[in-house]
Amino acid sequence: MTDLLYLPDEDAVTDFEATVVEASEDSIVLDGTYFYPEGGGQPADRGTIEWDGGQASVVDVRKDHGEIHHEIDDVEGDLPEDGETATGHVDADRREAHRRMHTAQHVLSRVVLDEYDATTAGNQIHADFSRIDFEPADFDDEDLELIEARTNDVIERNLPVTKDERPRETVEANVAEGRSNLDLLPDHVEELRVVEIDNFDMCPCGGTHVDRTGEIGGIEITNRLSKGADVERIEFELREN
Ligand SMILES: [Zn+2]
């Protein structure tokens, strides 16, 4: 098992030391990592891993049975030995974009739930734009203006964003209907990482997030697509921060 060191609230850390568990031509496993593995609609981090006498680019990060595999390329020097210390450097600009995007997605999803009673059926975050599918939904231009304005209001209020682990039953008792898929989680999961935007939204999520909504800067809705009878996709970008 690799320790997910960015949990519950170390989302800002991008440089760290860890011990090599296993290294091959294509992948390095460490005892703990701040690299985010692809999942929950958020792409994997990128960056580099260095060790005594060598380094490699991290081109993808995957979770496999509790182990995090840093997929590597451009290896320089000999591979590190098991037990050797390595230094990880997460691409900080890309991480920052994902943090801002992911919290923006939570804000926008909550605005739409509150205003239109539509839930988030799926989402995909990228560093440059993101999309969310809502159901049931049928937005017109005026709706999109309202959603963008309400989302930016919450961002401007600079609300604190807390990330911690909570017992599953506490989360089940407090989460708003339409803001979680707890029934999809296996029964043995008893502790959940929760992301709470102060007095606005709370939901289970393992992604990386900002510490205050003001760090998002602002969003702009750039596109709307119909994805079936009842499903609407909204695409958005971040305003320059
Ligand atoms: Zn999330």
Side-chain angles (χ1 to χ4, degrees), residues 102 105-106 205 209:
H102 203 144
Q105 180 260 307
H106 282 210
C205 175
H209 288 268

Side-chain angles (χ1 to χ4, degrees), residues 140-196:
D140 61 23
D141 288 349
E142 234 169 82
D143 297 326
L144 295 181
E145 276 173 35
L146 182 142
I147 293 165
E148 182 179 288
R150 292 275 153 89
T151 300
N152 284 323
D153 280 349
V154 174
I155 291 169
E156 273 158 38
R157 282 161 64 201
N158 201 21
L159 303 175
V161 181
T162 52
K163 301 146 244 177
D164 52 21
E165 266 157 18
R166 299 183 193 176
R168 181 185 185 130
E169 61 264 35
T170 313
V171 180
E172 281 175 336
N174 293 302
V175 74
E177 201 180 324
R179 285 300 286 135
S180 81
N181 287 316
L182 285 170
D183 43 329
L184 298 180
L185 281 178
D187 288 341
H188 67 81
V189 178
E190 286 167 5
E191 284 266 311
L192 299 174
R193 200 283 198 114
V194 167
V195 175
E196 176 153 16

Side-chain angles (χ1 to χ4, degrees), residues 35-38 44-45 58 60-63 68-71:
F35 277 90
Y36 182 79
E38 181 164 7
D45 282 326
V58 176
D60 202 2
V61 188
R62 305 185 281 110
K63 197 173 191 174
I68 304 295
H69 291 262
H70 305 84
E71 311 269 335

